[in-house]
Amino acid sequence: MKDNVRYSVIIPAYNEGAVINETYRRLKQVMKTLNEPYELLFVNDGSRDQTAEIIKGFAASDPSVKLLDFSRNFGHQIAITAGMDYARGDAVIIIDADLQDPPEVIPQMIDQWRQGYEIVYAKRSKRMGETFFKRTTAFLFYRILRALTEDINIPLDTGDFRLIDRKVCDAMRDIREKNRFVRGLVSWVGFRSTAIEYTREERFAGETKYPLKKMLRFSIDGVASFSYKPLKLAASFGLVVVAASFICLVVFLTQILFSYSAVSCWPPLIACLLLLDGFILIVLGVLGEYVGRIYDETKNRPLYILRNKQELEDAKHNGVIYSE
Ligand code: UDP
Ligand code: MG
């Protein structure tokens, strides 16, 4: 049905010197069995360790390896985006560099793609070796995100490990928004999709590059890129507060009019003021999140800067991208 196909595998890597050799070995092992041309597109996201040098070492002896070398750390989502910009395969696979996403699942994804699905998600049925905190926050995040985004169907418990068809990759390349939540965007572009289940393995070596702060940022990006609900919630809550204060006012006035003893209003008044101030500041913060996004878009800076752009352009020009 699909002949002469070519695959691209995108591997974002940030300080993955401890695992990248093993990742390369496992990926090669799997890709070789397909007997079709492929490219391994490593994206070095401004690593401060030996990651880039190690990948250059692979590329020296293996023409299927390509390196997109960022000038600094631009973040995981941007690294995937760069991979999609340069990937040339008919099917493009995105996989983490730390072997939490087992490369052995790729042939199953390809089977589904050959059956006509344009997006094949890999859904985590189990997560190994991750802390209770990480599992719980991830569980909650996917559910809250789903509750807040009604119009698009972002699948639960699904990371960026997936296969996308050329058509999806081209559609993704047209989206240049700055604060990117790639898995949401892939759902947004549509197309026929299916899921396969897999067990998310323990990280092979090294530690997570998503500390709490980055995880929070990522979650906020996810929500704010796809939903206005936080803004609407602020409006509804404002209405509730107005109604409540009106009732309080009536109660106070009645007390003042009909009681002869002096009523001390200060403690509840101060509490109310602090509550309202806090609430207003939270709403301002939420608003700021959206205004900040507009600001980012208007600056119109490039999404990433490549150290080896010229080299890549030359390679593209000479057509030396694929090999078996
Ligand atoms: N990553 C990246 N840039 C970053 C952070 C992470 O390219 O700023 C890569 C990282 O090398 C890995 C993938 O994104 O291949 C997922 O990161 P990680 O495994 O640390 O996240 P976790 O699995 O703990 O959520
Ligand atoms: Mg990981």
Side-chain angles (χ1 to χ4, degrees), residues 96 98 100 200 203:
D96 279 1
D98 60 356
Q100 281 198 283
R200 187 150 166 92
R203 198 174 228 289

Side-chain angles (χ1 to χ4, degrees), residues 70-264:
F70 279 4
S71 60
R72 66 168 169 85
N73 180 252
F74 280 91
H76 178 205
Q77 302 292 298
I78 301 287
I80 299 177
T81 305
M84 289 185 191
D85 290 346
Y86 279 85
R88 311 237 312 221
D90 301 296
V92 178
I93 298 126
I94 302 155
I95 189 168
D96 279 1
D98 60 356
L99 293 172
Q100 281 198 283
D101 306 331
E104 292 71 22
V105 177
I106 295 176
Q108 289 175 44
M109 290 174 154
I110 291 177
D111 280 349
Q112 295 292 321
W113 172 68
R114 284 186 173 279
Q115 286 176 28
Y117 291 104
E118 289 141 330
I119 301 173
V120 187
Y121 303 107
K123 193 169 153 62
R124 303 154 179 174
S125 56
K126 261 199 225 140
R127 303 174 74 117
M128 314 293 277
E130 286 181 317
T131 59
F132 173 73
F133 180 74
K134 173 100 186 182
R135 275 182 285 131
T136 325
T137 46
F139 180 87
L140 285 175
F141 167 63
Y142 288 111
R143 274 138 195 97
I144 292 173
L145 184 67
R146 200 184 182 89
L148 289 175
T149 52
E150 279 159 357
D151 334 340
I152 48 162
N153 191 7
I154 303 178
L156 290 174
D157 305 321
T158 305
D160 288 311
F161 185 25
R162 62 189 58 195
L163 178 150
I164 58 174
D165 186 82
R166 175 81 263 149
K167 290 193 267 293
V168 181
C169 192
D170 285 344
M172 289 293 294
R173 283 168 66 168
D174 288 338
I175 303 176
R176 302 317 287 174
E177 69 185 54
K178 305 289 183 272
N179 295 284
R180 305 172 76 80
F181 184 64
V182 173
R183 57 197 78 164
L185 293 174
V186 173
S187 303
W188 183 86
V189 296
F191 295 98
R192 274 191 300 275
S193 64
T194 186
I196 55 164
E197 297 214 336
Y198 79 109
T199 304
R200 187 150 166 92
E201 302 289 343
E202 203 169 330
R203 198 174 228 289
F204 180 77
E207 54 193 38
T208 174
K209 309 298 177 306
Y210 270 100
L212 183 62
K213 202 172 136 201
K214 260 198 195 172
M215 245 158 56
L216 262 175
R217 187 70 254 153
F218 179 68
S219 320
I220 293 173
D221 270 347
V223 173
S225 315
F226 287 96
S227 170
Y228 301 120
K229 273 204 181 153
L231 289 173
K232 289 188 187 156
L233 274 175
S236 325
F237 200 74
L239 278 177
V240 173
V241 172
V242 170
S245 8
F246 184 73
I247 296 170
C248 284
L249 192 71
V250 173
V251 172
F252 271 133
L253 280 179
T254 337
Q255 274 189 336
I256 291 167
L257 285 177
F258 296 106
S259 89
Y260 294 102
S261 61
V263 185
S264 168

